[in-house]
Amino acid sequence: MESTDKLTDTNAILAYLYETFPLCFIAEGETKPLKIGLFQDLAERLADDSKVSKTQLRVALRRYTSSWRYLKGVKAGAKRIDLDGNECAELEQEHIDHAILTLKESQDKAKAKRQALAPKKPAKKVAPKRAPAVKKERPAPVAAPVIKLVPAKLEDLKPKQRVNVKLGATPVPGVVTDINKEDVHVQLDTGLSIKVRAEHILL
């Protein structure tokens, strides 16, 4: 692929990030939590690069930070790193808790999907001389606490306010950094900085 060609596939963009910033984006094995606001650094560093757009970078970064590898790396004792792999901040406990909950929800969904797609085995005939197998009762899964969130109104929002942003099925926590007319700028706990309308914010 020539350097003038735009990368449109998320996996190709991630491969490019692994190659360009190997101390920050780790292709295999355990990852490290990224600096909050890393997207801005990334956009600035690649401003003159015609291969990727900001939109594609955002999608690739979201894919990277929502992977099981990354979520497992957001743990006690880990430190956030910048594009050059330098440690720059301690992890807050709420970010660790959010990563644990997100990982559990994602793994539960994947397990349910696998079970739904798995072919059903035909029932085995029990030999007449054998006693029927005793089924062990599995403990009921512990449900994650349900947090009731309501859509925000623009007039209720202010800078430095903790909010949740609707991104897919799970709201992502973050902090309001700026409000410009109807656009609200939010710094997500995952490190992304996004611009959304008030109706996409939950309180």
Side-chain angles (χ1 to χ4, degrees), residues 179-197:
I179 300 171
N180 184 7
K181 294 182 181 176
E182 294 184 355
D183 293 327
V184 183
H185 297 258
V186 180
Q187 180 79 54
L188 300 180
D189 290 353
T190 58
L192 285 180
S193 180
I194 62 171
K195 181 170 69 174
V196 293
R197 295 296 183 94

Side-chain angles (χ1 to χ4, degrees), residues 7-15 56 59-61 63-64:
L7 298 176
T8 53
D9 177 65
T10 304
N11 289 330
I13 295 169
L14 281 171
Q56 292 161 335
V59 171
L61 196 57
R63 168 86 65 87
Y64 184 81

Side-chain angles (χ1 to χ4, degrees), residues 71-145:
L71 293 170
K72 286 176 182 176
V74 180
K75 59 189 179 183
K79 292 186 178 179
R80 294 188 181 276
I81 58 170
D82 62 16
L83 285 175
D84 301 312
N86 300 314
E87 293 181 350
C88 57
E90 297 279 349
L91 274 175
E92 292 182 21
Q93 186 59 43
E94 62 180 295
H95 297 172
I96 296 170
D97 294 343
H98 178 258
I100 292 169
L101 181 60
T102 304
L103 178 62
K104 183 184 182 303
E105 287 176 349
S106 181
Q107 288 178 333
D108 288 349
K109 281 181 188 175
K111 184 179 178 183
K113 194 173 182 180
R114 280 200 306 273
Q115 288 175 343
L117 294 174
K120 291 185 179 178
K121 294 180 181 178
K124 290 182 180 179
K125 291 184 179 178
V126 181
K129 289 182 182 178
R130 254 184 221 167
V134 178
K135 288 185 180 179
K136 290 182 180 178
E137 287 189 13
R138 291 183 182 179
V142 179

Side-chain angles (χ1 to χ4, degrees), residues 42 44 83:
L42 194 59
E44 287 170 16
L83 285 175

